[in-house]
Amino acid sequence: MKIRDQVQSALESDARELFLRTLGHRLGISAREIFASDTPGSLSQARACNEMMIAIWSQLDVAKSAGVAGYPDSEFLTILLSKADTGDARSYLRSALESALTFVDGITGAE
């Protein structure tokens, strides 16, 4: 299954909130590592991670209940990719997605 299909499946599942929280956490860890590296382009990569995290928090049901409009689930990964591309941070998004999907699968697969 392609990662796009896996993300869509996670967004449509009972594990949606767990997936989004885990994804946001993983991107936060990436941003911290980027700041610590202090390499050329690190600021734009960290900004891209921050923008992706904001989009993720907007997707959570808690945010929606507070009146924050998220994105349609069918467009969510495309939005994240666009934000990642602004700072050459696709590798961080890919890593965070794979990690979050593996984590959620480990939790939900054990039930």
Side-chain angles (χ1 to χ4, degrees):
M1 182 184 292
K2 291 183 178 181
I3 197 162
R4 182 174 293 277
D5 296 331
Q6 290 176 296
V7 168
Q8 191 63 38
S9 179
L11 292 172
E12 294 170 355
S13 75
D14 291 338
R16 171 192 176 83
E17 189 156 334
L18 176 62
F19 169 69
L20 289 169
R21 287 180 186 271
T22 305
L23 179 59
H25 176 262
R26 299 305 195 260
L27 280 170
I29 299 287
S30 291
R32 183 186 314 153
E33 291 172 357
I34 292 166
F35 278 122
S37 71
D38 195 31
T39 58
S42 62
L43 184 57
S44 64
Q45 289 176 328
R47 282 185 184 141
C49 286
N50 184 62
E51 290 300 318
M52 288 184 281
M53 287 187 293
I54 291 168
I56 291 164
W57 304 139
S58 296
Q59 285 302 107
L60 288 167
D61 290 334
V62 172
K64 288 182 181 178
S65 68
V68 177
Y71 300 97
D73 287 346
S74 61
E75 297 174 23
F76 185 60
L77 183 57
T78 301
I79 297 295
L80 292 180
L81 289 166
S82 174
K83 291 180 181 301
D85 287 345
T86 65
D88 192 29
R90 264 197 194 210
S91 63
Y92 296 102
L93 175 59
R94 176 78 185 207
S95 177
L97 285 168
E98 289 173 350
S99 178
L101 289 166
T102 299
F103 178 76
V104 169
D105 186 50
I107 296 293
T108 59
E111 293 177 353

